[in-house]
Amino acid sequence: MYLRSLPRAARASTSTSTACTRITSPSIRCFRSSAQSLAPTFAATQQLPPMTSQSQMRSAHAISNPTLAGIEKRWEAMPPQEQAELWMQLRDRMKVDWNEMTLQEKKAAWWIAFGPHGPRAEAAPGEWTKVWLYTAVGLGISLATFMLIHSMARPPPRTMTKEWQEATNEYLKSEKSNPMYGISREGYTGPGFVQSKSAKAQGIKLEPDE
């Protein structure tokens, strides 16, 4: 019984493998055809040359000497757009080996970056003389204005006289004001509240007007 079933099993496995081969073979052919059609695209992508930027092109060529000649005198008179373009060219040149840069390029790059122009510009001749002159004129006008206003002011009050302030000292002593550290302290020799000139020297009347 067992021996009779072997040929049947062999025929069944053969038919199954044949069917699987028939089913999968179209898929394999499709995959192969797709790979063959896409192969040139991948090859072309890998063989594309690298893009060369504008900065790389500028860094490969030295800036002409006439462009950099007398840059110290021409820089501040140049339009901002030309200044920016020249600085961009020098910046790209500084990205390469500095041994490949010309002496004019090195001088121009240093002067533009650190030279005495713009905020670092030196003072013009005679500028400090003008500063001191204008300062003196301003102080003179301020002093004259102060004196004019002061001349039209009223005289100081009676309390701002030496006589009034001496009387204030005597009153505080009689009241024993601050006997520890103040004017009523034993042996005190300070001026107390006296800080003004006499009434006669200031032209002040001590008696109130009736």
Side-chain angles (χ1 to χ4, degrees), residues 83 112 135 203 208:
Q83 291 180 350
I112 293 174
T135 303

Side-chain angles (χ1 to χ4, degrees), residues 118-133:
R120 297 184 299 272
E122 298 178 355
E127 183 174 354
W128 280 108
T129 303
K130 295 180 180 179
V131 171
W132 287 111
L133 179 61

Side-chain angles (χ1 to χ4, degrees), residues 71 75 86-87 90 107-115 117 120:
I71 192 65
W75 177 256
L86 180 57
W87 173 244
L90 288 171
K107 289 182 177 180
W110 182 91
W111 195 88
I112 293 174
F114 305 105
H117 58 84
R120 297 184 299 272

Side-chain angles (χ1 to χ4, degrees), residues 4-189:
R4 292 179 181 177
S5 62
L6 287 177
R8 296 177 183 175
R11 287 195 296 269
S13 62
T14 303
S15 61
T16 303
S17 61
T18 304
C20 292
T21 304
R22 291 176 181 175
I23 293 173
T24 56
S25 58
S27 301
I28 295 173
R29 293 195 194 96
C30 182
F31 176 79
R32 288 178 179 175
S33 61
S34 300
Q36 291 175 357
S37 62
L38 292 175
T41 304
F42 289 118
T45 304
Q46 294 177 355
Q47 294 176 0
L48 285 175
M51 296 297 292
T52 303
S53 62
Q54 187 177 3
S55 61
Q56 292 175 343
M57 295 175 61
R58 288 185 299 194
S59 63
H61 301 284
I63 304 174
S64 61
N65 288 335
T67 304
L68 302 176
I71 192 65
E72 298 86 355
K73 299 178 180 179
R74 297 186 296 108
W75 177 256
E76 294 189 353
M78 293 172 60
Q81 185 176 359
E82 293 184 10
Q83 291 180 350
E85 291 178 357
L86 180 57
W87 173 244
M88 292 290 288
Q89 294 178 12
L90 288 171
R91 188 194 64 177
D92 294 335
R93 286 290 294 163
M94 287 188 289
K95 293 179 181 179
V96 301
D97 188 359
W98 277 50
N99 293 324
E100 300 178 6
M101 295 177 61
T102 63
L103 182 60
Q104 290 291 339
E105 289 176 337
K106 295 177 182 178
K107 289 182 177 180
W110 182 91
W111 195 88
I112 293 174
F114 305 105
H117 58 84
R120 297 184 299 272
E122 298 178 355
E127 183 174 354
W128 280 108
T129 303
K130 295 180 180 179
V131 171
W132 287 111
L133 179 61
Y134 293 154
T135 303
V137 171
L139 290 175
I141 294 174
S142 301
L143 181 61
T145 304
F146 171 78
M147 296 299 294
L148 178 62
I149 296 174
H150 187 70
S151 63
M152 295 185 295
R154 295 180 179 180
R158 293 178 298 163
T159 56
M160 297 302 295
T161 59
K162 183 178 180 181
E163 293 81 3
W164 189 283
Q165 293 164 1
E166 287 177 347
T168 302
N169 288 345
E170 296 299 328
Y171 174 77
L172 293 175
K173 288 179 181 179
S174 64
E175 295 293 330
K176 304 294 182 181
S177 175
N178 195 0
M180 298 295 294
Y181 304 102
I183 194 172
S184 299
R185 177 173 57 87
E186 184 178 356
Y188 178 79
T189 58

